[in-house]
Amino acid sequence: MVVQTIPARIRWAVDFMDVQPADHVLEIGCGPGAGAEAICSRLTTGKLFAIDRSESGVDRTKRRCARFVEAGRLTVRQIDLATLRVPVKRLNKVYAFNVNLFWVRDCADEIALLHERVLPGGAVFLFFEVKFPDQMPTVVSKASAALAQGGFRVSVVEQKNPAVVGIIGRR
C-alpha cells in the first residue's frame, strides 16, 4: 500500500479547526480523502460524514480511509450538498476546502441547511488555497456574505505559508 501524505494546507486547516475526539463533522467535497484522513485521525467517539458530487472522489476517499470506514468513524457518500439530509441537529463542525459553491453561485439553500444542522457553538470552515491572489477578495466577500446572510457570525483568517484563506461562520 502506498502511503499518501497530507498536504500542508490541509494539515493547517484541520489544525485550525481544532477537531476534538467526539466531534461530529461534515466534509463537503472530500475529493482524494486527505482532509478525511486528517480529521478521522483525531476522532475517537466522533464521526465524519464526507460527501462529494464526484464518484471518483468518493471512491478515492473510501480507499484512502478504509480503516476509518471499517472503524465506523467515517461515512462517505456521493451526493450534492443541496440534496443532503442530515437527520438531526448534531454537527459541531463543517469543513470544505476549495469548494467553489460558496462563492460562484447563490447557495442560500445550502447555507440554510448547514445553519439548521450545526449545533450552537459549532462552525462552518470554508478554506481556500491562494492560487490566484487577485481572486481572493471576491472569494472572501461572496463566501462571507453567504454565511452572514444565513445567520452565521463570520470571521476571516489568512495563513501565508501555506497560502490559505479561511472563512469561518460560527453558529
Side-chain angles (χ1 to χ4, degrees):
M1 180 177 175
V2 176
V3 175
Q4 301 177 56
T5 61
I6 298 173
R9 66 185 182 280
I10 303 292
R11 284 194 319 270
W12 179 83
V14 172
D15 284 346
F16 182 85
M17 287 190 337
D18 190 30
V19 175
Q20 296 299 304
D23 278 348
H24 286 257
V25 183
L26 169 65
E27 179 179 9
I28 303 164
C30 57
E37 181 180 4
I39 292 167
C40 286
S41 68
R42 296 167 183 239
L43 300 175
T44 54
T45 59
K47 304 212 182 300
L48 172 64
F49 186 60
I51 64 171
D52 202 300
R53 294 182 309 169
S54 159
E55 183 179 352
S56 67
V58 167
D59 290 344
R60 290 166 53 193
T61 297
K62 284 180 177 179
R63 278 195 310 272
R64 180 176 186 147
C65 299
R67 69 188 185 277
F68 300 120
V69 172
E70 291 166 13
R73 281 188 261 167
L74 173 62
T75 301
V76 187
R77 295 285 182 263
Q78 181 182 356
I79 194 167
D80 188 276
L81 178 59
T83 58
L84 177 66
R85 297 295 166 253
V86 178
V88 294
K89 182 181 255 187
R90 63 183 182 125
L91 296 173
N92 304 98
K93 295 177 174 97
V94 175
Y95 165 81
F97 205 108
N98 288 340
V99 175
N100 293 335
L101 161 70
F102 299 101
W103 69 276
V104 298
R105 68 171 181 81
D106 176 44
C107 59
D109 291 343
E110 290 88 344
I111 297 290
L113 181 141
L114 295 176
H115 194 270
E116 281 180 10
R117 299 303 185 231
V118 172
L119 291 164
V124 175
F125 296 87
L126 308 177
F127 295 104
F128 297 91
E129 183 177 15
V130 182
K131 289 183 181 177
F132 306 102
D134 294 348
Q135 196 175 46
M136 291 318 296
T138 300
V139 171
V140 170
S141 172
K142 289 185 175 185
S144 294
L147 287 170
Q149 290 165 4
F152 289 94
R153 294 181 323 276
V154 179
S155 60
V156 177
V157 63
E158 294 183 50
Q159 173 68 20
K160 300 295 184 207
N161 189 15
V164 174
V165 171
I167 300 118
I168 300 97
R170 299 207 183 272
R171 174 95 164 64

